[in-house]
Amino acid sequence: AQGPMEFEVLFQSALTGDEITPSPYGYVVTSLEELYNMNNLFIDGLYQTDVFSDTDFGNYYLLYVLDRYKPDSSHYIEVNSVYENANNVDVNITSDSTDGVAFHQPMQPFTVVRIPKTNKPINFIIN
């Protein structure tokens, strides 16, 4: 099949302080085990991955998309579209900022979305 894939945004937030990692990445979560391994990407007690654990991994995958380090809280990252091609899946992502009041605290925006399970390689394309 080719064409747009349905996706659902489950969570959008940002890592701060000691949580910040050097580089951005996209991570495909294909099983409950991988989800538990992903726990170390979240602040204990603040981001509980329980919100994702009811995911039916027989039919869905989770995509965890982490942005580059940002200097303040005005920045965010979001998935715009997921498109299935003949040989792969393209996840189109926007990294942007708002004009609102920002806290001057280093952070790293992330988002988690759910997509239908696929056997094709997944490309994360950040615009």
Side-chain angles (χ1 to χ4, degrees):
Q2 286 184 246
M5 289 176 78
E6 292 286 314
F7 69 94
E8 182 184 357
V9 178
L10 299 183
F11 205 62
Q12 267 187 303
S13 189
L15 304 180
T16 57
D18 295 342
E19 325 285 302
I20 290 176
T21 64
S23 56
Y25 63 90
Y27 184 64
V28 184
V29 183
T30 62
S31 69
L32 205 55
E33 186 181 12
E34 285 182 17
L35 181 67
Y36 292 133
N37 290 340
M38 200 178 88
N39 264 327
N40 62 3
L41 302 173
F42 292 85
I43 301 166
D44 286 340
L46 185 54
Y47 302 127
Q48 291 298 327
T49 50
D50 298 347
V51 67
F52 316 122
S53 60
D54 63 349
T55 295
D56 171 10
F57 286 103
N59 292 303
Y60 295 95
Y61 285 164
L62 300 180
L63 305 180
Y64 175 87
V65 182
L66 185 65
D67 204 348
R68 288 179 174 76
Y69 163 93
K70 302 295 182 184
D72 63 48
S73 66
S74 69
H75 297 267
Y76 64 92
I77 192 166
E78 63 185 5
V79 172
N80 293 325
S81 67
V82 180
Y83 195 87
E84 183 173 5
N85 303 298
N87 299 314
N88 58 34
V89 174
D90 288 335
V91 180
N92 295 295
I93 298 155
T94 298
S95 171
D96 207 352
S97 62
T98 61
D99 294 333
V101 175
F103 297 103
H104 290 282
Q105 177 184 17
M107 51 184 50
Q108 203 167 8
F110 70 87
T111 187
V112 179
V113 302
R114 183 164 51 209
I115 64 164
K117 184 175 177 175
T118 177
N119 292 321
K120 296 178 180 178
I122 295 173
N123 299 325
F124 294 94
I125 303 165
I126 297 185
N127 301 311

